[in-house]
Amino acid sequence: MGFSTLDPQLDTIHIASRTKCNKDPSCQVLIKRLIQLVDISRAKVEHFEKHGGRSDDRQKLVENILTLFDAVFSYLSTRTSDFETRDVSALAKKPFIPCEIRGQVEFYLPSQVFFRKEASSTGAALEDDHDVITQSLFKQIKFNAFLSLVGVKAEPSLQEIFDLMIEKPDEVLDSLGEEMYKAVLRRIASDPPFKQITASIRSSPFL
């Protein structure tokens, strides 16, 4: 089906071939298979942690899963013109994008990750304060046409940054540092990303 598969009982990626598979499976089949791969990968991670695997084996497992999904997303990006909104709707509430977090794999929703800024022709990425904030607070991945189709964006809005400050003020402060945190507060004060002060805003110790 064009996908690599990860056997939950093995530590390696292998290519699954099925003589009766269509060369170009339908979009619905592809999405269903993607969700299955997420579940298989999670089962593998849970199995590993339950049996107390070695740290070097954990790193190998992480690399295998990330490589697997990189190949899957690369294939899906070649089929983006085939997908319709209804085909990818199942992914809106399904964390399916893997990221490495402190030596482990966690899966995220499209709304929880953003595309990494590409380097300029000189080889360096041009960064502004918003780029620094994005890097500090959110997970970033390389651009992929399929992931863009399902909702991954280039950068978070001020609303999304503010929502995170309301939800996790201490973590945001630790990640940004006092000076940058105050700069974000000034941006919010000059252009509030809300129409009225809600109960959650009042109760959050973000100031």
Side-chain angles (χ1 to χ4, degrees):
M1 291 170 53
F3 276 9
S4 301
T5 60
L6 184 66
D7 190 319
Q9 300 303 318
L10 300 176
D11 292 327
T12 58
I13 294 175
H14 63 94
I15 303 300
S17 60
R18 300 290 186 270
T19 57
K20 296 183 180 180
C21 283
N22 295 326
K23 181 179 179 181
D24 295 310
S26 70
C27 294
Q28 292 86 351
V29 170
L30 290 173
I31 296 302
K32 181 178 179 180
R33 185 58 181 150
L34 173 59
I35 292 174
Q36 289 174 341
L37 290 179
V38 172
D39 294 338
I40 290 171
S41 298
R42 280 180 160 169
K44 174 59 183 175
V45 171
E46 291 175 3
H47 179 270
F48 180 90
E49 296 299 336
K50 182 178 180 180
H51 291 82
R54 298 181 306 173
S55 59
D56 54 343
D57 290 334
R58 177 185 287 107
Q59 184 59 37
K60 181 180 179 181
L61 172 62
V62 170
E63 292 174 356
N64 282 347
I65 292 176
L66 295 178
T67 301
L68 165 69
F69 280 88
D70 185 58
V72 169
F73 294 149
S74 292
Y75 172 73
L76 291 175
S77 69
T78 68
R79 298 285 305 275
T80 51
S81 61
D82 299 332
F83 287 97
E84 296 184 10
T85 302
R86 66 175 182 272
D87 297 325
V88 298
S89 59
L91 299 177
K93 298 181 179 180
K94 174 74 174 181
F96 71 95
I97 303 172
C99 293
E100 182 176 359
I101 309 297
R102 294 183 293 277
Q104 297 183 333
V105 171
E106 293 185 16
F107 288 86
Y108 290 84
L109 294 166
S111 60
Q112 295 175 314
V113 297
F114 298 89
F115 290 125
R116 189 180 304 116
K117 191 169 185 177
E118 296 293 336
S120 66
S121 57
T122 61
L126 300 176
E127 296 183 348
D128 56 21
D129 287 349
H130 200 84
D131 295 328
V132 174
I133 292 170
T134 302
Q135 293 173 12
S136 300
L137 299 181
F138 301 95
K139 302 306 173 188
Q140 292 184 295
I141 57 176
K142 68 178 181 180
F143 179 82
N144 175 275
F146 173 74
L147 296 180
S148 178
L149 177 69
V150 299
V152 178
K153 300 186 300 183
E155 60 182 23
S157 64
L158 185 58
Q159 176 69 65
E160 289 167 320
I161 295 172
F162 181 60
D163 289 343
L164 188 60
M165 293 176 71
I166 295 298
E167 181 182 356
K168 303 175 180 179
D170 292 337
E171 291 185 24
V172 173
L173 177 58
D174 289 342
S175 298
L176 295 182
E178 185 176 351
E179 183 177 349
M180 183 65 73
Y181 189 90
K182 289 180 177 179
V184 175
L185 287 178
R186 288 193 291 270
R187 288 177 56 188
I188 292 171
S190 63
D191 185 20
F194 51 85
K195 294 182 179 180
Q196 60 183 8
I197 298 178
T198 64
S200 61
I201 295 176
R202 290 194 184 93
S203 61
S204 176
F206 71 95
L207 293 175

